Amino acid sequence: MKAFFRQQLDRYADRLGELEFLLSREDIMQDMDQFLSLSREHAEVGAVAGRWARYRQRESDLQHGRELLESSAQDADMAAMAQEEVDAAGAELAQLETELQRMLLPKDPDDTRNAFLEIRAGTGGDESALFAGDLLRMYVRYCERRGWKTEIISESESELGGYKEVVLRIVGDGAYGALKFESGGHRVQRVPATETQGRIHTSACTVAVLAEPDESVAVQINPADLRIDTYRASGAGGQHINKTDSAVRITHLPTGIVAECQDDRSQHRNKARALQVLSARIQEKDRAERAARDAAQRKSLIGSGDRSDRIRTYNFPQGRLTDHRINLTLYKLTNIIEGDLDDVVQALQAAQAAEQLAALELGATA
């Protein structure tokens, strides 16, 4: 392990001692907010310090095993035992180093949050809208695999059954962290159902993933900056057709950002949900502006998440998915479209981790 990482990890061990002293003080125990804050930090620091202690123990075991191996050259049984210890310690050290490096990476506080996922049809007409429906089903099934709940906040269906636009709310621990790299342009190459001559068409959709804001720290919106319109929700008719203006559209006048919700029969609940989406979009706008400023200094491996970026191609004739940001190609498109996104998500997370580690090392040598 590199000296820089060792220095960082030694600081965790030192900090753990400081936290244990602070948590034992009576004045801090009486201040519940401070006590809880320090307790959370203690849990996080303790997890890193514990793995670091195990790493150093296994380093000692490895050194002892090597010494024993050298001294037992004439004893086959002892040499075999020493070799077994060397192999086991070496394998565990490699695993621990990977874990520890990941623990040192800066954490996005939004990664654990729920998410809003927006899909919009782009170039390609009806085929693009059908592809938007395919993407929606893919994400919903992926969420089902993860045990997350989903609900459609707003939708605009196309005539052939797809979507011109659809907004999905995803409720589950780590939803935003897993899906945040889905933001961008998604391109599909396939023979549309409406194509009579078997020609392959190319169409596209845009996806945007937003972290659901923490209500306690959400952006403050001045009610005077809002225009709120109500309208009758669209539906297929029948006994449950909406006979009142329960759907809500909210426009944030300073930015022009719009959010709407028609999922519930209650206008009040639709308004509350639309405000949540609006707040998430304003927060994402602020995040994107910060990212753009940062990108001027250092280009991100993963990309900015700008919706105009073409991040991924779904090639149905070849059964191929390609993520252009990390040069990932998988020939399992049928499974992926059915919600098996684990390989894609994990590859993107690993790419970000590698970039963050490189940035840490670069910062250490600067």
Side-chain angles (χ1 to χ4, degrees), residues 182-329:
E182 295 302 300
S183 293
H186 294 241
R187 183 177 68 173
V188 63
Q189 296 171 327
R190 64 183 175 187
V191 179
T194 55
E195 170 59 49
T196 58
Q197 299 182 27
R199 293 174 299 185
I200 295 173
H201 288 225
T202 298
S203 57
C205 290
T206 58
V207 174
V209 182
L210 319 172
E212 183 177 79
D214 182 348
E215 292 183 2
S216 64
V217 295
V219 294
Q220 298 300 311
I221 300 175
N222 185 347
D225 291 337
L226 301 178
R227 185 180 74 235
I228 301 176
D229 301 307
T230 59
Y231 58 98
R232 186 164 300 178
S234 60
Q239 61 178 335
H240 299 301
I241 190 168
N242 197 328
K243 296 182 174 63
T244 61
D245 293 341
S246 63
V248 176
R249 181 185 296 111
I250 304 178
T251 304
H252 185 240
L253 299 175
T255 62
I257 294 174
V258 179
E260 57 187 319
C261 183
Q262 57 180 349
D263 186 54
D264 201 288
R265 297 184 193 179
S266 164
Q267 185 183 112
H268 293 295
R269 284 192 289 269
N270 282 336
K271 179 181 176 182
R273 189 59 49 79
L275 279 169
Q276 271 191 314
V277 175
L278 184 72
S279 180
R281 289 178 178 169
I282 293 173
Q283 182 172 286
E284 181 62 21
K285 179 178 180 292
D286 293 341
R287 179 199 296 271
E289 289 173 351
R290 290 195 304 271
R293 290 193 295 268
D294 293 342
Q297 301 175 0
R298 178 175 54 86
K299 180 174 174 60
S300 170
L301 173 70
I302 297 301
S304 67
D306 187 273
R307 301 180 194 186
S308 63
D309 292 342
R310 187 194 70 186
I311 65 166
R312 190 175 298 156
T313 296
Y314 303 73
N315 187 304
F316 278 79
Q318 297 179 15
R320 168 176 58 83
L321 176 140
T322 300
D323 195 291
H324 305 289
R325 296 164 294 180
I326 57 174
N327 296 320
L328 173 72
T329 297

Side-chain angles (χ1 to χ4, degrees), residues 32-69:
M32 188 54 64
D33 288 340
Q34 189 176 15
F35 181 78
L36 289 174
S37 176
L38 290 172
S39 295
R40 284 192 293 269
E41 185 184 355
H42 182 272
E44 294 172 1
V45 170
V48 179
R51 301 311 283 162
W52 177 226
R54 176 64 179 174
Y55 183 92
R56 287 181 295 178
Q57 176 61 52
R58 293 305 275 160
E59 270 192 324
S60 177
D61 294 341
L62 179 62
Q63 180 61 31
H64 176 70
R66 286 171 174 168
E67 292 171 356
L68 186 60
L69 189 61

